[in-house]
Amino acid sequence: GAVVSQHPSRVICKSGTSVKIECRSLDFQATTMFWYRQFPKQSLMLMATSNEGSKATYEQGVEKDKFLINHASLTLSTLTVTSAHPEDSSFYICSAALQASGGAGNEQFFGPGTRLTVL
Amino acid sequence: AQSVTQPDIHITVSEGASLELRCNYSYGATPYLFWYVQSPGQGLQLLLKYFSGDTLVQGIKGFEAEFKRSQSSFNLRKPSVHWSDAAEYFCAVGRGGTASKLTFGTGTRLQVTL
């Protein structure tokens, strides 16, 4: 099946610094990638939809200036957490959509996630 | 707005026993429904999905799910659980033109006893 990688898998940073997380589709091209945030023992919350070559679409309540998303190529999307604070500590997961034939219902392939800890 | 409810936070079953994980959804249109499994250190893996047609859907690893519109449910079942099935299971509903925007339930953690 299609493989999505994330780097780094774990990062610890100081409050006020910025952290970049990469999401790559390794064996397919993804015009759309998604970024999720998962709190401990909770569900995944969609943060934004990233389309190659255009601005990301953010879900309600997600600060676009705090969470910068860039989708520069069909295989790479990045999430930058700017001026990180302890409340930004979380598990960040990306997914890449593989368009299904007939256009009905794209399947998403998920990366393994990145654990961000802000001290 | 769409929502997904997984009433059971944690379920424990014995290996070889049958399993049913519950999922209820709220969505104004015809739902696109998914079940994913999350294992530590691994990305979410799609078990099965329902878009239309036969309401009993077969998935990977011996899982199946049945869509019941009248009950707004999409319960996941497996006739005989293996120890390797221990993981977190998420039900999700897709929205948007291609059902790509997923709303997840809170998950059910499955523990398998030997």
Side-chain angles (χ1 to χ4, degrees), chain A residues 1-108:
Chain A
V3 179
V4 175
S5 69
Q6 278 184 246
H7 179 79
S9 58
R10 186 182 298 266
V11 58
I12 300 173
C13 69
K14 292 182 179 180
S15 186
T17 62
S18 295
V19 174
K20 180 184 286 189
I21 302 170
E22 293 185 348
C23 176
R24 294 182 185 271
S25 55
L26 298 184
D27 49 5
F28 68 101
Q29 293 183 329
T31 55
T32 305
M33 290 185 173
F34 301 87
W35 287 96
Y36 295 84
R37 182 172 179 177
Q38 185 178 27
F39 293 96
K41 298 184 180 181
Q42 293 189 29
S43 182
L44 285 77
M45 302 296 295
L46 178 64
M47 297 174 66
T49 304
S50 169
N51 292 295
E52 187 265 339
S54 63
K55 290 184 178 180
T57 303
Y58 291 81
E59 295 298 301
Q60 191 173 10
V62 178
E63 300 176 59
K64 62 180 181 180
D65 295 329
K66 158 69 80 173
F67 300 100
L68 299 179
I69 292 172
N70 183 274
H71 194 158
S73 76
L74 289 173
T75 59
L76 173 65
S77 176
T78 60
L79 168 67
T80 301
V81 183
T82 63
S83 186
H85 287 90
E87 58 266 28
D88 299 323
S89 298
S90 192
F91 195 55
Y92 293 89
I93 300 173
C94 74
S95 70
L98 182 62
Q99 187 166 2
S101 60
N106 295 345
E107 180 171 346
Q108 291 186 40

Side-chain angles (χ1 to χ4, degrees), chain B residues 30-74:
Chain B
T30 300
Y32 293 147
L33 297 162
F34 306 80
W35 273 101
Y36 287 88
V37 59
Q38 185 182 35
S39 299
Q42 300 182 27
L44 275 77
Q45 182 181 21
L46 179 66
L47 290 175
L48 47 78
K49 60 186 177 183
Y50 171 79
F51 289 161
S52 64
D54 193 345
T55 56
L56 185 61
V57 181
Q58 301 297 319
I60 62 171
K61 303 185 179 184
F63 286 94
E64 67 176 26
E66 186 172 11
F67 170 60
K68 292 185 178 180
R69 184 185 297 275
S70 62
Q71 300 178 20
S72 297
S73 69
F74 189 57

Side-chain angles (χ1 to χ4, degrees), chain B:
Chain B
Q2 64 287 329
S3 66
V4 178
T5 302
Q6 294 181 247
D8 304 305
I9 297 173
H10 187 203
I11 283 183
T12 301
V13 299
S14 301
E15 188 175 40
S18 63
L19 171 71
E20 181 170 33
L21 302 182
R22 296 183 291 167
C23 172
N24 292 95
Y25 68 90
S26 173
Y27 189 60
T30 300
Y32 293 147
L33 297 162
F34 306 80
W35 273 101
Y36 287 88
V37 59
Q38 185 182 35
S39 299
Q42 300 182 27
L44 275 77
Q45 182 181 21
L46 179 66
L47 290 175
L48 47 78
K49 60 186 177 183
Y50 171 79
F51 289 161
S52 64
D54 193 345
T55 56
L56 185 61
V57 181
Q58 301 297 319
I60 62 171
K61 303 185 179 184
F63 286 94
E64 67 176 26
E66 186 172 11
F67 170 60
K68 292 185 178 180
R69 184 185 297 275
S70 62
Q71 300 178 20
S72 297
S73 69
F74 189 57
N75 294 348
L76 182 71
R77 300 194 295 251
K78 186 169 185 177
S80 178
V81 171
H82 189 263
W83 64 266
S84 60
D85 293 324
E88 188 90 21
Y89 290 80
F90 291 95
C91 181
V93 60
R95 55 189 166 96
T98 54
S100 295
K101 292 193 174 186
L102 300 178
T103 298
F104 285 87
T106 50
T108 298
R109 177 161 295 278
L110 173 65
Q111 184 176 358
V112 180
T113 57
L114 300 176

